[in-house]
Amino acid sequence: MRTYQYERRLHWSECDPAGIVFFPNYTRWMVEGLNEMFLSLGIDPNAQQEDGGRGGLPVVQLAMKFFEAPTLHSIVRHEILVEKIGGKSLAFTHRFWCGQTLLVEASETRVWAVHAPGGKPAMQAIAVPESVRGLLNANAEGP
Amino acid sequence: MRTYQYERRLHWSECDPAGIVFFPNYTRWMVEGLNEMFLSLGIDPNAQQEDGGRGGLPVVQLAMKFFEAPTLHSIVRHEILVEKIGGKSLAFTHRFWCGQTLLVEASETRVWAVHAPGGKPAMQAIAVPESVRGLLNANAEGP
Amino acid sequence: MRTYQYERRLHWSECDPAGIVFFPNYTRWMVEGLNEMFLSLGIDPNAQQEDGGRGGLPVVQLAMKFFEAPTLHSIVRHEILVEKIGGKSLAFTHRFWCGQTLLVEASETRVWAVHAPGGKPAMQAIAVPESVRGLLNANAEGP
Amino acid sequence: MRTYQYERRLHWSECDPAGIVFFPNYTRWMVEGLNEMFLSLGIDPNAQQEDGGRGGLPVVQLAMKFFEAPTLHSIVRHEILVEKIGGKSLAFTHRFWCGQTLLVEASETRVWAVHAPGGKPAMQAIAVPESVRGLLNANAEGP
């Protein structure tokens, strides 16, 4: 299934007083990387809907293991693997690397959803669209 | 005019590898403090509107001077002063203190605004409501 | 064993374009809440050491389940339970609530560690100090 | 004098409930962009010193004007101009653009500094090194 990867600098803003990554940034990177993967495929999972609602990809569960911590200004490679495409849910594995060193491994489940318009922020899970399903099943790797 | 103050811990998440505050956090604190001041007065400047839009208080200009930097786990006192209530705009001074030491002084101008509903995020400045004007003019100090 | 809880506002800065919490903030809150729990017991887990090093409490694993998402300006109650005190490690459960609604449940394992001085950010796990062990075993609840 | 620019995606994590940029992110971007400019010139302003201290570039004043706000997933161009190289200080102008639309203009003054080792986070301003001065004076544009 689809994989995607890119590199990012570990910034001053993302390090703690020990000079290493502040770990909550990994969860933010998971959101950003996933959105970049979808955008690279021509899909905006957070697009505005015609009725004023907005698409979303809320997380329902998450598990992370931490092996090594990168230091300030390191280049971190973020690797995303589509693991499973369910009816309304999607499972991903994320790995973060510094060179050949595995920093973090994470697995998460998200649901394809819409946020209703008109100030009602309640989300509703809906079926993963066929077009999305097709693109995530494809065997190609992102840029 | 109205003043407001509260204390906050300088957290691990808010410090940089030098062990002091990462300065962009001050601008976030300015937003949080301002909203707390309004909420303490019974006003939610970001409230959902009946038509699905949302209130806002966008910043139009900001100036900051930095004198001292607090260290991890310090208690920072954030002081807000309403400086001017214009037709559609509001000017505030913010001061951040550690004990008797002034850390930062900031002045900013914001406008009272609404974000249109239906996925159009464009903002429109509107007149500061009379009720808000009255509360900000009052001479009392917040909790 | 020790429990700790406190309440926090869900701020504008912590919400996403759907008007609900941006979930990585939970992991930041877990760090802040844990540090507040320790500080309330007179322990600073990130204290500077005499040799210029610094204490730390790095996470080694984390699992989270997400049930409901709070909306802007909600009051969130963060509950921390000490689950296990190992030789060098500590396990905690975190629960986040809005009123009687469980938002998120998380479990994490951390290690008691020191960051070496002199610009070497490598961490070393060390034995959980007896004084810390005693305080975490105590049956009292935080303020 | 030296200029530098790059493009960045406006991420979900960086937008507020109105679906536009949460403005404190600009100040974080200013830090990241400045560090990227220096790193592209072979200079790490936050490098560890041999004595265990660390270089820094603390801000002393900042002024910002906000014209337009970008929406989720926009591409923002960040332009940095070196305005003045003083004895111990540096002045920069930052402009953020979406296409031909100016979003924000900011000016800031920073000082070249070192953080002392051994857990003393106090900073000391020092002379801008000649090598840095030379690189910033050069008329070339970054990648």
Side-chain angles (χ1 to χ4, degrees):
Chain A
M1 285 202 275
R2 181 70 60 176
T3 65
Y4 181 77
Q5 61 178 329
Y6 69 98
E7 292 188 338
R8 60 187 310 146
R9 172 90 66 191
L10 178 64
H11 288 296
W12 182 255
S13 61
E14 298 168 328
C15 288
D16 65 19
I20 57 176
V21 64
F22 177 60
F23 88 82
N25 286 302
Y26 286 112
T27 54
R28 179 172 58 83
W29 296 348
M30 287 164 69
V31 177
E32 293 180 6
L34 220 47
N35 278 347
E36 284 294 341
M37 181 185 79
F38 278 112
L39 291 169
S40 77
L41 299 173
I43 304 164
D44 183 346
N46 300 122
Q48 288 281 2
Q49 314 290 309
E50 285 191 13
D51 66 356
R54 192 187 272 281
L57 208 54
V59 63
V60 290
Q61 62 181 5
L62 169 67
M64 302 179 76
K65 287 188 183 169
F66 301 81
F67 303 105
E68 295 284 340
T71 55
L72 177 65
H73 291 158
S74 297
I75 299 297
V76 174
R77 185 160 51 87
H78 180 187
E79 195 179 271
I80 302 175
L81 297 88
V82 180
E83 291 290 353
K84 192 182 157 196
I85 308 174
K88 296 180 177 180
S89 69
L90 297 164
F92 304 97
T93 297
H94 298 256
R95 289 196 188 89
F96 295 91
W97 303 83
C98 242
Q100 300 300 312
T101 305
L102 180 61
L103 305 170
V104 166
E105 188 170 272
S107 62
E108 61 168 354
T109 306
R110 288 169 176 263
V111 292
W112 202 264
V114 287
H115 297 277
K120 304 266 186 320
M123 283 175 291
Q124 193 182 351
I126 57 170
V128 179
E130 280 308 312
S131 56
V132 172
R133 196 176 291 275
L135 284 164
L136 295 184
N137 261 317
N139 209 11
E141 185 161 329
Chain B
M1 286 203 276
R2 180 69 61 177
T3 64
Y4 181 78
Q5 61 178 329
Y6 69 99
E7 292 189 336
R8 59 187 311 146
R9 172 90 66 190
L10 178 63
H11 288 295
W12 181 255
S13 62
E14 297 168 328
C15 288
D16 65 19
I20 55 176
V21 64
F22 177 61
F23 86 84
N25 285 302
Y26 285 112
T27 53
R28 178 171 60 84
W29 297 347
M30 287 163 70
V31 177
E32 294 180 5
L34 219 47
N35 279 346
E36 284 295 340
M37 181 185 80
F38 279 111
L39 291 168
S40 77
L41 299 172
I43 304 165
D44 184 346
N46 301 122
Q48 288 281 0
Q49 313 291 309
E50 286 191 11
D51 66 357
R54 192 185 272 282
L57 208 54
V59 64
V60 290
Q61 61 181 7
L62 170 67
M64 302 178 77
K65 286 187 184 170
F66 301 82
F67 303 106
E68 295 283 342
T71 56
L72 177 64
H73 292 157
S74 297
I75 299 297
V76 174
R77 184 161 52 87
H78 180 185
E79 194 179 272
I80 303 176
L81 299 87
V82 180
E83 291 291 352
K84 193 183 156 194
I85 309 173
K88 297 180 177 180
S89 69
L90 297 163
F92 303 98
T93 296
H94 299 255
R95 289 195 188 89
F96 295 91
W97 303 83
C98 241
Q100 301 301 311
T101 305
L102 179 60
L103 306 169
V104 166
E105 188 170 271
S107 62
E108 60 168 354
T109 306
R110 289 170 175 263
V111 292
W112 201 265
V114 287
H115 297 276
K120 303 266 185 322
M123 283 174 289
Q124 192 181 352
I126 57 172
V128 179
E130 280 308 313
S131 56
V132 172
R133 197 176 292 275
L135 284 163
L136 296 184
N137 262 317
N139 208 12
E141 184 161 328
Chain C
M1 286 202 275
R2 181 69 61 176
T3 64
Y4 181 78
Q5 62 177 329
Y6 68 97
E7 292 189 337
R8 60 188 309 146
R9 172 89 66 190
L10 177 63
H11 288 295
W12 181 255
S13 62
E14 297 167 329
C15 288
D16 64 21
I20 56 175
V21 65
F22 178 61
F23 87 83
N25 285 302
Y26 285 112
T27 54
R28 177 171 60 82
W29 296 348
M30 288 164 68
V31 177
E32 293 179 7
L34 220 46
N35 279 348
E36 284 295 340
M37 180 185 80
F38 279 111
L39 291 168
S40 77
L41 299 172
I43 304 164
D44 183 346
N46 300 122
Q48 287 281 1
Q49 314 290 310
E50 285 191 12
D51 66 357
R54 192 186 272 281
L57 208 55
V59 63
V60 291
Q61 61 182 6
L62 169 67
M64 302 178 77
K65 286 186 184 170
F66 301 82
F67 304 106
E68 294 283 341
T71 55
L72 177 65
H73 291 157
S74 296
I75 298 297
V76 174
R77 184 162 51 87
H78 180 186
E79 194 179 272
I80 302 176
L81 298 88
V82 180
E83 290 290 354
K84 193 184 157 194
I85 308 173
K88 297 180 176 180
S89 70
L90 297 164
F92 303 98
T93 296
H94 299 255
R95 289 196 189 91
F96 295 91
W97 303 83
C98 242
Q100 301 301 312
T101 304
L102 180 60
L103 305 170
V104 166
E105 187 171 272
S107 61
E108 61 167 353
T109 306
R110 289 169 176 263
V111 292
W112 202 265
V114 286
H115 297 276
K120 304 269 186 319
M123 285 174 289
Q124 192 181 352
I126 58 171
V128 179
E130 280 308 314
S131 57
V132 173
R133 196 176 292 275
L135 284 164
L136 295 184
N137 261 318
N139 208 12
E141 184 161 329
Chain D
M1 286 203 276
R2 181 70 60 177
T3 64
Y4 181 77
Q5 62 177 328
Y6 69 98
E7 292 187 338
R8 61 187 309 146
R9 172 90 65 190
L10 178 64
H11 288 295
W12 182 254
S13 62
E14 298 167 328
C15 288
D16 64 20
I20 56 176
V21 65
F22 177 61
F23 87 83
N25 286 302
Y26 285 112
T27 54
R28 179 172 58 82
W29 296 348
M30 287 164 69
V31 176
E32 293 180 6
L34 220 47
N35 279 348
E36 284 295 340
M37 181 186 80
F38 278 112
L39 291 168
S40 76
L41 299 172
I43 304 164
D44 183 347
N46 300 122
Q48 288 280 2
Q49 314 290 309
E50 285 190 11
D51 66 357
R54 192 187 273 279
L57 208 55
V59 63
V60 291
Q61 61 180 6
L62 169 67
M64 301 178 78
K65 286 186 185 170
F66 301 81
F67 304 105
E68 296 282 341
T71 56
L72 176 64
H73 292 157
S74 296
I75 299 297
V76 174
R77 185 161 51 88
H78 180 187
E79 194 179 272
I80 303 176
L81 297 88
V82 181
E83 290 290 353
K84 193 183 156 195
I85 308 172
K88 296 179 176 180
S89 70
L90 297 163
F92 303 98
T93 297
H94 298 256
R95 290 195 188 91
F96 296 90
W97 303 83
C98 243
Q100 301 301 311
T101 305
L102 180 60
L103 306 170
V104 166
E105 187 170 272
S107 61
E108 61 168 352
T109 306
R110 288 168 175 264
V111 291
W112 202 266
V114 287
H115 297 276
K120 304 267 186 320
M123 283 175 290
Q124 192 182 352
I126 59 171
V128 179
E130 280 307 314
S131 57
V132 172
R133 197 176 291 273
L135 284 163
L136 295 184
N137 262 318
N139 209 10
E141 184 161 328

